Amino acid sequence: MNILIKNGTVVRSTEAFNSDIYISEGKIVQVGESLNILEPIDKEIDAAGKLIFPGGIDPHVHMHLPTSAGYSADDFDTGSKAALLGGTTTLLDFVTPQKGQSLIDALIDRKAEANNSLCDYSFHVSPVEWTKNTEQEIKDCIQSGITSFKIYMAYKDSIGLDDDNILKVMQVIGKAGGLVTLHCELGDEIEELRNEFAKNRDLSPEFHPISRPDIAESDAVKKAIEMAKKANCTIYIVHTSCEESIKHIKEAQKAGQPVYSETCPQYLLLNDSKYVGDFNDTCKYVMSPPLRKKEDQNVLWESINKGVVKTVGTDHCPFSLGQKEQGINDFRMIPNGAGGVEHRMTLLFSYGVLQNRINYNQFVDITSTQAAKIFGLYPQKGEIDTGSDADIVIWNPKIENTISVENHHQNCDLEIYEGAKTVGAPEIVILNGDVIVEKGKLVSEKKGKFLKRSI
Ligand code: URP
Ligand code: ZN
């Protein structure tokens, strides 16, 4: 299919300019003013008055995540559709093996689960234990196109690793030139606090945030940075939520250590006042790390502005009210997580760009380009340039919406951004040269592909 996009404003992470774009066979073939294409054009799109962004890359989603409350509410089909309607064309999800299962077998199983994704996708693979085979398994994953891994410092009783094993994993991955992403919360300290609240029968969701204080996150960040330095390994701190963590990250970056940081829209836009109220109103905000203070939000915006925080992922992991009700008598049983993959770009545009917290180029950088660069997808993804995959969002900066459980496409009866007003939305979304969203509606069911990455 040959597509010619005319008269749009192309926004890259470093510049913006008026341009046409010619797409053929899934790739961007030409970018330039007043293109004169000699080949037959199947579709011409007039993008006058519209912004043209590279397809969004969400580096942190959990589709179809198994938990004791059942699978997270979006699978790869429903979650990827919601993502595309919000302008995100690539998802980075996770492979979390069972103990005793090899990383490569878990990767094969996960790929099969993801093959109904409409977005392109890859995974961060989690070593959840250290065995005599782990080193080879990590190498096998790298051979299979995986360049990033994930370590949980929390959840010690299930998927979390202890410090000795974290160091071993970092050493192997560092030596291979890969990247370790980390969920930074000190598991033991949190467990102690949770049990203390339980002893006092303090079991409503209001105790969730105070059982996971910012110091439990920032101390874990500090420790992770120290271990990464020792192991000579590049790290990426997922869902950074508070000022104290940022201080450690900034210091490491200043010293020249390769430490990347991600935050999420919920930490930029929502705060811990959400935990006050009835179970039905508060349970949807039970996520880890929890929502923090207003002051933390300001620090996170500033950190994006200064390039300390490089990406905004969603940690998309919604659960229904019925699933959250597993913890109606004990917040420790509430499945952790919330949805957001559909809203990431509209929220960042509305509350970031339009409120002058970030500019248009930074918007592209944090929603797409940086994730592509950090995770080995650039310039195939994350860029509007000749030779890149034709993943393009034609953005109407005037579309207004109010986010609601009534009109969202995420497969969940809870919505943490309920009532949030947004301005700006994708009108057309193109993935690998195919129009998938048109006039804000899904018009294709074409499946995405697994993205093999290399170091
Ligand atoms: O609460 C969260 N973040 N749930 C998803 C799993 C994780 O910890 O990343
Ligand atoms: Zn996560």
Side-chain angles (χ1 to χ4, degrees), residues 81-263:
K81 287 174 179 166
L84 284 158
L85 288 162
T88 290
T89 50
T90 296
L91 300 175
L92 297 181
D93 203 292
F94 296 85
V95 174
T96 314
Q98 301 289 326
K99 288 218 166 116
Q101 187 184 27
S102 79
L103 298 181
I104 199 80
D105 283 350
L107 172 61
I108 291 165
D109 289 356
R110 193 70 173 147
K111 274 166 99 170
E113 285 180 337
N115 72 5
N116 62 353
S117 172
L118 271 64
C119 290
D120 282 357
Y121 53 92
S122 183
F123 307 101
H124 315 289
V125 173
S126 280
V128 295
E129 60 188 336
W130 179 268
T131 73
K132 60 179 176 19
N133 300 323
T134 305
E135 180 164 1
Q136 188 54 47
E137 289 172 15
I138 287 170
K139 289 178 183 161
D140 293 343
C141 286
I142 292 172
Q143 276 293 313
S144 302
I146 298 295
T147 61
S148 53
F149 296 80
K150 166 117 179 244
I151 291 173
Y152 292 86
M153 296 173 87
Y155 313 132
K156 279 279 182 59
D157 55 339
S158 53
I159 54 177
L161 285 185
D162 65 24
D163 294 354
D164 282 352
N165 289 339
I166 292 176
L167 196 63
K168 285 182 199 154
V169 168
M170 280 183 175
Q171 277 164 339
V172 171
I173 294 168
K175 197 165 157 203
L179 179 77
V180 168
T181 75
L182 290 116
H183 176 132
C184 290
E185 285 188 301
L186 293 181
D188 293 336
E189 280 78 346
I190 286 169
E191 220 33 54
E192 237 173 76
L193 280 169
R194 279 153 65 91
N195 294 338
E196 199 60 37
F197 286 121
K199 234 196 291 167
N200 297 329
R201 310 303 302 155
D202 290 331
L203 290 168
S204 67
E206 144 183 26
F207 293 93
H208 170 73
I210 45 181
S211 72
R212 309 183 90 92
D214 58 357
I215 188 79
E217 176 186 319
S218 59
D219 278 357
V221 167
K222 184 166 182 276
K223 201 179 208 185
I225 289 171
E226 282 162 6
M227 285 194 278
K229 190 172 178 190
K230 203 160 157 190
N232 206 9
C233 180
T234 301
I235 55 169
Y236 174 100
I237 314 287
V238 302
H239 48 47
T240 312
S241 72
C242 62
E243 178 173 14
E244 286 304 309
S245 297
I246 291 291
K247 280 187 191 160
H248 296 303
I249 293 163
K250 221 176 181 169
E251 207 175 289
Q253 290 174 347
K254 232 174 164 181
Q257 192 178 335
V259 175
Y260 297 111
S261 164
E262 163 200 280
T263 191

Side-chain angles (χ1 to χ4, degrees), residues 60 62 65 150 152 155 183 239 286-289 315 317 336-337:
H60 188 162
H62 301 271
L65 176 79
K150 166 117 179 244
Y152 292 86
Y155 313 132
H183 176 132
H239 48 47
V286 172
M287 61 184 78
S288 295
D315 199 2
C317 191
N336 278 209

